[in-house]
Amino acid sequence: MTPGSGLQAGLKNRHLSMIAIGGVIGAGLFVGSSSGIATAGPGILLSYALVGTLVVLVMRMLGEMSAANPTSGSFSAHADRALGRWAGFSIGWLYWFFWVVVLAVEATAGAKILEGWIPAVPQWGWALIVMAVLTATNLVSVGSYGEFEFWFAGIKVVAIGAFIVVGLLAIFGVLPGVHADKATFSNLTSHGGFLPNGPGAILTGVLLVVFSFMGSEIATLAAGESEDPQRAVTKSTNSIIWRIGVFYLGSILVVVSLLPWNDPSIAKDGSYVAALNSLGIAHAGEIMNFIVLTSVLSCLNSGLYTASRMAFSLGQRGDAPKAFARTTSRGVPMAAILASVVFGFVAVFFNYEYPKTIFLFLVNSSGAVALFVWLAICASQLRMRKIIQREAPEKLVVKMWLYPYLTWATIGLIVFVLGYMLTDTKGESSGRTTVLLSLLVAAIVLVVAFVKQKVTAGRPTEAPAVEVNDKVPTA
């Protein structure tokens, strides 16, 4: 039992390990990498490496704070204590908003695949079924969520691992029974060079791949319901480098080595399907559709869990309805789960009825939230390190490297990416549109936060989320 929270330690170490590994493998890696390859060519590897480095640094900071103070509110709770109630409120609600929109996006993506297999059930029906099943799973217990995620993530991990092994064997010419005439590392430089569209394409590629990394932080939220939170956070933080290196850089390296980056099949079939098809592997499309569906279900499962736990934490701190902080006898925050899934259903409805207006606004206005969350983590860590050192230095079991220099460098890189997004004006979901609409929503949430803080000035925090900081006044 997590002290004073009502949540139960129902996640086992194997659950946490797989949640941590699977959290960095989103459906976006399978379905979104083709556009990045088309933009930057083999240089997309540098885009992934740049964003991967950013995620490693941010996760190191989050790991430092979460290992010292494991809590279901994670970075929102840390921001609450380090920066002030307004910060915890704002970043918590923005993160919740991001995930309920993701629920609709992933439910629709999964429904399209399932409708292709069983067309008798309409697409909206599949979306309803998928969300209902995973809602029921989350309502049973945190252990059932963990078990489902263990298998979903396990399939993703095995699939990408097998893809990398098969691809490398084909590239080295030791895989029998496949058509490996196009497979060679020379594909990295033979078709216009490593950067066929120039160095600027690396930054454009960053904009296309940055959001596929969202989910890395889920393990720190889930750690609060594990048997040994500190150990779980420490382990997931220390393993983030190899996870990103293998699953992102490794698999993309295989894709752009198996066939030329400008092969039309990459845009037509998707990067991973095209890579498998180039080897003449039968039923590659169906195999990849199954893997993508697994990733979608994993993302839905974790998205609902994450949104509900953030709502629970907000309710516990008095920043959301108190009902969100109540749990069942099995330690499940039922009201927080149901509220999250209801908004998810509403977003699905908008996707089918108003895809080019309301739903497009929801997607664009939540698009830059990942970067806002990372900024909040950096700012919180700058203050929390001093607080922990002063009040409980023994809890600093994970430390950010080269503090505070790397923290400030990470902040600078995130701000640079946001600034570069403003130069992207192509399409309905351009970088500029995404940043401006996300800033609009963030501004609205901030206004609500400051008004609420003014109205409730002087009211004590109901349930401290970070123990070491209780004596420090909020900003």
Side-chain angles (χ1 to χ4, degrees):
M1 177 79 74
T2 304
S5 70
L7 298 177
Q8 293 182 0
L11 293 176
K12 299 177 181 177
N13 287 331
R14 65 182 178 87
H15 294 153
L16 259 294
S17 297
M18 201 56 76
I19 288 169
I21 294 172
V24 299
I25 310 172
L29 175 62
F30 296 108
V31 298
S33 53
S34 56
S35 58
I37 293 171
T39 298
I44 194 65
L45 283 166
L46 296 180
S47 302
Y48 274 105
L50 188 61
V51 180
T53 300
L54 185 62
V55 172
V56 167
L57 294 173
V58 170
M59 282 299 297
R60 188 73 185 182
M61 294 178 230
L62 181 55
E64 176 181 294
M65 295 184 289
S66 295
N69 301 281
T71 169
S72 61
S74 188
F75 49 83
S76 172
H78 304 322
D80 189 307
R81 286 300 182 179
L83 305 176
R85 290 287 296 274
W86 64 271
F89 177 97
S90 302
I91 208 66
W93 277 114
L94 283 173
Y95 190 70
W96 178 87
F97 172 60
F98 170 85
W99 278 111
V100 294
V101 174
V102 166
L103 290 180
V105 174
E106 300 295 344
T108 303
K112 286 180 180 177
I113 295 173
L114 289 166
E115 186 190 30
W117 292 344
I118 309 176
V121 179
Q123 196 177 113
W124 65 265
W126 278 120
L128 184 69
I129 291 169
V130 165
M131 287 189 71
V133 169
L134 293 179
T135 300
T137 299
N138 275 265
L139 285 173
V140 172
S141 70
V142 68
S144 64
Y145 153 72
E147 200 62 34
F148 267 72
E149 191 55 24
F150 176 82
W151 291 105
F152 286 153
I155 291 171
K156 288 191 294 185
V157 169
V158 170
I160 290 195
F163 174 82
I164 292 173
V165 170
V166 168
L168 288 175
L169 291 175
I171 293 167
F172 287 113
V174 293
L175 186 67
V178 299
H179 308 297
D181 50 307
K182 292 182 180 179
T184 169
F185 284 123
S186 65
N187 281 326
L188 296 173
T189 55
S190 297
H191 304 274
F194 186 69
L195 295 171
N197 297 324
I202 297 172
L203 291 175
T204 306
V206 165
L207 306 187
L208 295 172
V209 306
V210 66
F211 304 110
S212 66
F213 282 83
M214 196 65 168
S216 309
E217 70 292 331
I218 292 175
T220 65
L221 280 91
E225 294 175 81
S226 67
E227 298 164 341
D228 188 349
Q230 190 179 79
R231 178 178 178 274
V233 170
T234 303
K235 187 176 179 181
S236 67
T237 301
N238 290 337
S239 64
I240 187 81
I241 296 176
W242 72 260
R243 285 185 276 135
I244 288 176
V246 171
F247 297 123
Y248 278 87
L249 295 179
S251 64
I252 295 297
L253 174 64
V254 167
V255 169
V256 293
S257 299
L258 283 177
L259 72 172
W261 70 271
N262 54 359
D263 192 299
S265 64
I266 292 180
K268 178 174 176 286
D269 302 323
S271 52
Y272 289 81
V273 172
L276 290 175
N277 281 334
S278 72
L279 297 176
I281 294 177
H283 309 295
E286 289 83 353
I287 293 170
M288 194 51 61
N289 269 340
F290 173 74
I291 295 168
V292 170
L293 178 63
T294 303
S295 294
V296 164
L297 294 177
S298 170
C299 194
L300 263 173
N301 194 36
S302 287
L304 183 53
Y305 170 82
T306 305
S308 66
R309 276 4 179 230
M310 187 57 74
F312 167 84
S313 179
L314 288 166
Q316 194 184 34
R317 287 177 273 144
D319 290 334
K322 289 183 179 180
F324 287 4
R326 297 194 189 108
T327 58
T328 66
S329 58
R330 294 184 299 274
V332 174
M334 182 181 292
I337 291 174
L338 293 177
S340 300
V341 82
V342 163
F343 276 90
F345 276 126
V346 170
V348 169
F349 170 77
F350 286 144
N351 193 11
Y352 286 109
E353 292 297 321
Y354 310 103
K356 296 295 183 182
T357 52
I358 298 176
F359 188 71
L360 185 63
F361 170 80
L362 290 176
V363 171
N364 285 337
S365 61
S366 65
V369 165
L371 294 170
F372 297 165
V373 167
W374 295 348
L375 272 177
I377 291 171
C378 294
S380 300
Q381 191 264 341
L382 282 173
R383 295 197 65 185
M384 281 299 296
R385 165 66 79 89
K386 295 175 182 176
I387 293 166
I388 299 171
Q389 281 179 325
R390 183 172 65 248
E391 301 195 8
E394 71 281 359
K395 292 189 176 183
L396 271 176
V397 293
V398 175
K399 289 186 179 181
M400 176 59 183
W401 307 295
L402 296 177
Y403 168 86
Y405 308 109
L406 264 184
T407 301
W408 281 111
T410 306
I411 290 173
L413 184 55
I414 296 171
V415 171
F416 175 78
V417 171
L418 284 168
Y420 191 80
M421 287 178 72
L422 292 172
T423 67
D424 175 29
T425 58
K426 297 178 182 178
E428 295 175 322
S429 298
S430 66
R432 178 177 293 180
T433 300
T434 297
V435 170
L436 292 178
L437 288 180
S438 296
L439 284 172
L440 172 63
V441 171
I444 293 171
V445 174
L446 277 170
V447 168
V448 173
F450 281 117
V451 169
K452 180 183 181 299
Q453 184 168 292
K454 193 169 184 179
V455 170
T456 59
R459 188 178 71 182
T461 305
E462 294 178 15
V466 182
E467 296 172 9
V468 300
N469 192 30
D470 288 347
K471 301 175 186 176
V472 180
T474 55

